[in-house]
Amino acid sequence: MGRWEPNARQRLERAALALFVERGYDATTVAEIADRTGLTKSTFFRHFGDKREVLFGGQDMLAQLFGDAIRTAPPSATTADCLAAALESAAVAFTPERHDLAPQRRAVIAANSELQERELLKRARLASVMADALRARGVGDVAARLAAEVGVLAFSTAYARWAAPGNRRPFTEIAHASLRDLQACAATLGAAADVRA
Amino acid sequence: MGRWEPNARQRLERAALALFVERGYDATTVAEIADRTGLTKSTFFRHFGDKREVLFGGQDMLAQLFGDAIRTAPPSATTADCLAAALESAAVAFTPERHDLAPQRRAVIAANSELQERELLKRARLASVMADALRARGVGDVAARLAAEVGVLAFSTAYARWAAPGNRRPFTEIAHASLRDLQACAATLGAAADVRA
């Protein structure tokens, strides 16, 4: 880091999202983002690799948090416990102060098909990181892949509920409820196999 | 269709895959694919929108088959029955005569990160088509999304097992076994919720 710029990353992120909404993602330049915050382009590039990272840098951080949470869960933790730990670890990224950014980010991505593809690919990467971490704990391949998809679905459902306008419930509480909903559906889908076996 | 060209589509597909493996996907031109088959470029474009469709046209067909199978399953069919019907409908695409193309296609995609991304996006689209078809039957949103992911996992596991060198088991048999494996894992993951509820 160079010169001290209080909250530079957050200011840049807020300015970028506001500009993406106003002018469109493709039409916004890094120079404009820096201008609006009174910071320089080089300060921008100290915090973000490129314009796209303003939108997706958070998902790289999530991949790290999910993987770490699963790897460091106690040996006695079940696969479902590992998913719960992963979701809890994400709560640091979804604080009340960040709640107003979520609808902006969503609107920017919804307006751009390339960004939508990027979002799907990032979700696939989250699943792959979780499956790898579960396999490293000795979970079988099929069970790890299924659990990872359930984890990503729980995360994306919880994120949408948390980001809904007017929501005041904390992310962790919503995430646990989403995971329980999915586990209940998994039990129903799994039970059909017993009947037929 | 213009002039009668016996098996033009299959000949073009085989020539294209062989060239992609030999020279790389990016370096292969449509003219070279047509040359190798003794057909013209315009015949190629009667069968494929572009070079990429040689690799991914099959997944568009699968999306259609999966959606139709779920929509036309009897009213009494459970969600698991719908997934089984979807997988069975895919068997037309995975006949013994096509078995030798699978490792080529896989090698071409593995060698190219843009094609890998395209494959992930096509899988996400398959999930989305299945979830839509299940919701149209009245399945709840969370259950439909979970079942669709299970369907895509069952399909991709089954495809990898079917395409393995030396495999002689028919796709349908492998697909049913893959779905049962996933349902057993779903039951285990779901059971953890009951204990804690």
Side-chain angles (χ1 to χ4, degrees):
Chain A
M1 291 285 152
R3 202 149 55 88
W4 165 247
E5 296 286 5
N7 300 320
R9 189 183 169 92
Q10 290 88 325
R11 283 161 60 200
L12 288 162
E13 184 185 13
R14 285 192 176 268
L17 284 171
L19 283 163
F20 294 163
V21 170
E22 285 167 34
R23 304 185 186 179
Y25 172 80
D26 287 328
T28 301
T29 66
V30 168
E32 289 168 333
I33 297 167
D35 275 358
R36 181 162 295 196
T37 50
L39 298 168
T40 61
K41 273 174 71 173
S42 63
T43 302
F44 179 92
F45 288 117
R46 274 203 295 277
H47 291 281
F48 300 100
D50 56 22
K51 200 171 66 167
R52 205 163 65 176
E53 206 182 309
V54 176
L55 296 169
F56 297 109
Q59 292 195 276
D60 295 333
M61 188 190 70
L62 279 181
Q64 185 74 46
L65 289 169
F66 284 179
D68 287 349
I70 293 172
R71 273 186 295 273
T72 59
S76 62
T78 63
T79 300
D81 293 337
C82 289
L83 295 182
L87 293 169
E88 277 172 29
S89 76
V92 294
F94 305 110
T95 56
E97 305 78 61
R98 292 186 58 76
H99 191 266
D100 61 317
L101 299 178
Q104 288 187 324
R105 180 178 180 280
R106 175 173 281 200
V108 172
I109 292 172
N112 184 311
S113 61
E114 202 212 315
L115 296 176
Q116 286 167 40
E117 290 195 351
R118 190 57 36 195
E119 176 96 328
L120 285 173
L121 292 169
K122 289 281 183 179
R123 296 249 160 115
R125 188 168 128 65
L126 287 180
S128 152
V129 163
M130 283 201 274
D132 285 346
L134 288 166
R135 276 188 287 261
R137 295 179 63 91
V139 177
D141 179 57
V142 174
R145 290 172 71 194
L146 175 70
E149 293 299 341
V150 168
V152 171
L153 279 177
F155 166 71
S156 60
T157 310
Y159 176 74
R161 290 175 185 170
W162 174 78
N167 169 58
R168 292 290 172 271
R169 289 167 68 206
F171 180 81
T172 305
E173 181 186 321
I174 298 172
H176 279 289
S178 298
L179 182 57
R180 277 194 305 271
D181 288 354
L182 279 157
Q183 283 184 275
C185 294
T188 306
L189 196 61
D194 298 334
V195 173
R196 269 140 232 285
Chain B
M1 292 283 153
R3 201 149 56 89
W4 165 245
E5 297 285 5
N7 301 319
R9 188 182 169 93
Q10 290 89 326
R11 284 160 61 200
L12 287 161
E13 184 186 14
R14 284 191 177 269
L17 284 171
L19 283 163
F20 294 162
V21 170
E22 285 168 34
R23 304 183 187 180
Y25 172 79
D26 286 328
T28 301
T29 67
V30 168
E32 288 168 334
I33 298 167
D35 274 357
R36 180 161 298 194
T37 50
L39 298 167
T40 61
K41 274 174 69 173
S42 62
T43 302
F44 179 93
F45 288 118
R46 274 203 296 276
H47 292 282
F48 300 100
D50 57 21
K51 201 172 65 167
R52 204 163 65 175
E53 206 183 308
V54 176
L55 296 169
F56 296 109
Q59 291 194 277
D60 294 332
M61 188 189 69
L62 280 181
Q64 184 74 47
L65 288 168
F66 284 179
D68 287 348
I70 293 171
R71 273 185 295 273
T72 60
S76 62
T78 64
T79 300
D81 294 338
C82 288
L83 295 183
L87 293 169
E88 276 172 29
S89 77
V92 294
F94 304 110
T95 56
E97 305 78 61
R98 292 186 57 77
H99 191 266
D100 61 317
L101 299 178
Q104 289 187 323
R105 181 178 180 281
R106 173 173 282 200
V108 172
I109 291 172
N112 184 310
S113 61
E114 201 213 314
L115 296 176
Q116 285 167 39
E117 291 194 352
R118 190 56 37 197
E119 177 96 327
L120 284 173
L121 292 168
K122 288 280 184 178
R123 296 249 161 117
R125 188 168 128 65
L126 287 180
S128 151
V129 164
M130 284 201 274
D132 286 346
L134 288 167
R135 275 188 287 259
R137 295 178 64 90
V139 177
D141 180 58
V142 174
R145 291 172 72 196
L146 175 70
E149 292 299 342
V150 168
V152 170
L153 279 178
F155 167 71
S156 61
T157 310
Y159 175 75
R161 290 175 184 170
W162 173 79
N167 170 58
R168 292 291 173 270
R169 289 167 69 204
F171 180 81
T172 305
E173 181 186 321
I174 297 172
H176 279 289
S178 299
L179 182 57
R180 276 194 306 271
D181 288 354
L182 278 157
Q183 283 183 273
C185 294
T188 305
L189 197 61
D194 297 335
V195 173
R196 269 140 231 285

